[in-house]
Amino acid sequence: MQVKGSSLLRLLLECVSILLCSSLSTSSATHLRGSFDTHDFFKFLIKFGFQKAESHRPRDSFGYIYGNITAYQAFPQPITLAVLDKSTFVDFYSNRSASIFDRELACRRMFQRIQVLAYDVDCNSHGKRDFLRRIPCPYGHLCEDEDAASNVVPGNQFTYVISEVSQPRFWYVAMVACYRNRSTCQWHSYDTLTAPAAFLNNTTHELHYDIHVVNGHPNNSAAHPLTYEFSFDQQNLLEMYLIFLLVYMVLLPMQIYAVRLQKHPVTRLFTLSLLSEFVSLALITAHLIKFAVNGVGLPNMQTSGDILDIFSRTTFMLILLLLAKGWAVTRQQISRTGWIILMSIWVPYCAFHVFLYYWNRTEVDIVSDVDEYQTWPGWIVLILRTTFMLWFLYELRNTMKYEHSSKKLDFLLHLGASSLVWFIYLPIVAIVALQVSPMWRYKLLLGITNSADCLAYCVMTGLLWPNRSGQYLLLTGTKYAGMDELDEFNEAPHIVRERERRQNSLDNGIVEVITAQHSNNNHSIAVGTNATNTVTNAMGNEIAGPGNEGSTNLLHNEELEADLLTDLNKNSHIVA
């Protein structure tokens, strides 16, 4: 049974189309455009990591949130835009759930702590933090809370300046349909103000926003193009992907050249895996380049690249398992039962990997700082990967146990050592990442993962290079028909075991004949039925005598060679 590459690609394309058509709840864009309906009550916009400000150029290294928020119809009361650090956002975000039963109560709880800290010209003039804006802002004018026009980025209605002087930190941006009574300074739900009118007039209150979140001053964006649009936890990703893309631009043509010289199922499957990884890197790099320009990038292209990356890694794992089972090394085919067992484990692993990606993009709470391997789908993927590693070692041990070719054993040893490192690195890194700050964790995981995969592809390219792999791969097919590999075949395990069995049987027969001759001075008694038959056939039904020992041995050797030649002819279909 051969690997069906077209079926794998069809499954891959279906997964990509499903993920592209699905709406992801979180967006990585830093240039945000959209609308917000007050009936939705709450809308989370972005989680963004602001970098630490540099002492010698603080204004250029601060974080900035600026933009415009307007509405086509008049709002009876402005609602609220909140920009909060994590310590204040946790309570704000968790209390929104009360809106399911009572939005009025939810508004009071959400702003209970913030109203003490945030500056408000009417209700808290002693507040130290600039957290809130009343929206929508009037057309052609600044928002009501912007009292210093010089601090606003030109062409925008509001601006937040985030100055992190000690360490990088995440900030959160959200909209909520709550307003503050300017007389009582109490928070109320916008629904209580508009529900009767909305019911009678069937009207909706919708605002439109265009918000930009960046690291660095907007007027000096050209000075740091590779970090300006990126959250701190994703800075330097573009440089990393460009380096890996250059490596694969050298590696892929080499492998294509190799597979043209040596058309073999192993090299073809590996080329498919390598090509998928190269296309994945190209798509993600294109997205990051576009993202560095406009803060949006190409999200669909990034999703396609991520799915291709999953396909490439899982296909590479399949190659390792097939080689460990001796496919195309000690045997041409794997039994139907073996394929069924392999596919029944490998296909669910691929499905869980795709599910983990989707879960991480849609279901992980925005407040939590967990990575994909700290979720239950992530733990399942790590457990399955460890199971594959143990299975790989078991199959490799069985293959090496019955292999006698020194060249093939050397190949299997190198394959096992390098593959074991590739299997085990991810569970170890996932555990170590628990101790790393969330601001650095994503870059650490991505850097180590891509580096390990790149190294594994380089090693496999070297192992499967034509002038080396011809020594241990079974190069059979239309171009290799005949007995070109008879020498390698003679070292196959079943031939070696048969040769040893026949040699031991021959030695035992000779010993029995000699013992019988010495024990009977008349030389007329033959001990052992097998020995008698053998000697009788060799001498042409004559009685064996002491002077015919050399002839008997010679005839035995000729018989053994003839039997071995017959076995080789019978089994030549394995080589051909």
Side-chain angles (χ1 to χ4, degrees), residues 417-521:
S418 56
S419 300
L420 183 60
V421 175
W422 184 81
F423 271 109
I424 199 63
Y425 86 89
L426 188 58
I428 294 177
V429 171
I431 295 174
V432 173
L434 295 175
Q435 310 301 322
V436 179
S437 168
M439 302 301 298
W440 300 92
R441 187 184 300 154
Y442 181 73
K443 290 184 283 190
L444 173 69
L445 284 173
L446 205 58
I448 294 179
T449 299
N450 286 334
S451 299
D453 291 341
C454 182
L455 180 60
Y457 283 121
C458 292
V459 172
M460 185 63 73
T461 301
L463 290 176
L464 298 180
W465 196 250
N467 63 352
R468 296 187 59 187
S469 61
Q471 303 173 7
Y472 39 75
L473 292 183
L474 299 178
L475 304 175
T476 59
T478 57
K479 294 185 179 181
Y480 300 96
M483 300 295 289
D484 296 338
E485 295 188 0
L486 184 58
D487 293 337
E488 289 290 335
F489 179 77
N490 285 337
E491 297 182 7
H494 66 284
I495 295 298
V496 174
R497 289 197 298 271
E498 181 65 19
R499 187 184 299 128
E500 292 177 350
R501 186 187 67 80
R502 291 179 178 273
Q503 184 64 41
N504 292 335
S505 177
L506 175 63
D507 293 340
N508 292 335
I510 293 175
V511 170
E512 291 177 359
V513 172
I514 294 174
T515 303
Q517 291 172 348
H518 282 285
S519 63
N520 190 353
N521 294 329

Side-chain angles (χ1 to χ4, degrees), residues 319-548:
I319 296 172
L320 296 180
L321 288 172
L322 290 172
L323 291 175
K325 292 174 73 69
W327 183 55
V329 178
T330 61
R331 65 184 74 177
Q332 286 287 3
Q333 301 289 343
I334 295 177
S335 66
R336 181 178 298 272
T337 303
W339 274 106
I340 293 175
I341 295 175
L342 181 61
M343 290 295 118
S344 63
I345 299 178
W346 180 75
V347 172
Y349 175 78
C350 297
F352 264 108
H353 227 306
V354 175
F355 177 72
L356 169 63
Y357 174 76
Y358 184 81
W359 180 275
N360 189 54
R361 294 288 298 271
T362 59
E363 300 298 330
V364 175
D365 199 329
I366 56 177
V367 178
S368 63
D369 291 326
V370 301
D371 60 77
E372 56 185 334
Y373 297 111
Q374 296 179 32
T375 61
W376 68 265
W379 287 114
I380 292 178
V381 168
L382 292 179
I383 292 173
L384 289 176
R385 186 184 180 95
T386 305
T387 303
F388 268 102
M389 179 187 69
L390 298 177
W391 188 19
F392 169 83
L393 293 176
Y394 172 78
E395 295 289 353
L396 187 65
R397 178 181 178 275
N398 287 340
T399 302
M400 295 180 67
K401 183 178 180 181
Y402 297 102
E403 180 58 61
H404 295 270
S405 172
S406 59
K407 294 177 181 179
K408 293 183 179 181
L409 285 174
D410 184 63
F411 165 73
L412 292 174
L413 284 173
H414 284 83
L415 175 70
S418 56
S419 300
L420 183 60
V421 175
W422 184 81
F423 271 109
I424 199 63
Y425 86 89
L426 188 58
I428 294 177
V429 171
I431 295 174
V432 173
L434 295 175
Q435 310 301 322
V436 179
S437 168
M439 302 301 298
W440 300 92
R441 187 184 300 154
Y442 181 73
K443 290 184 283 190
L444 173 69
L445 284 173
L446 205 58
I448 294 179
T449 299
N450 286 334
S451 299
D453 291 341
C454 182
L455 180 60
Y457 283 121
C458 292
V459 172
M460 185 63 73
T461 301
L463 290 176
L464 298 180
W465 196 250
N467 63 352
R468 296 187 59 187
S469 61
Q471 303 173 7
Y472 39 75
L473 292 183
L474 299 178
L475 304 175
T476 59
T478 57
K479 294 185 179 181
Y480 300 96
M483 300 295 289
D484 296 338
E485 295 188 0
L486 184 58
D487 293 337
E488 289 290 335
F489 179 77
N490 285 337
E491 297 182 7
H494 66 284
I495 295 298
V496 174
R497 289 197 298 271
E498 181 65 19
R499 187 184 299 128
E500 292 177 350
R501 186 187 67 80
R502 291 179 178 273
Q503 184 64 41
N504 292 335
S505 177
L506 175 63
D507 293 340
N508 292 335
I510 293 175
V511 170
E512 291 177 359
V513 172
I514 294 174
T515 303
Q517 291 172 348
H518 282 285
S519 63
N520 190 353
N521 294 329
N522 296 326
H523 307 288
S524 60
I525 302 175
V527 181
T529 303
N530 294 333
T532 301
N533 294 336
T534 305
V535 174
T536 301
N537 292 333
M539 298 298 296
N541 296 326
E542 295 180 1
I543 299 175
N548 294 328

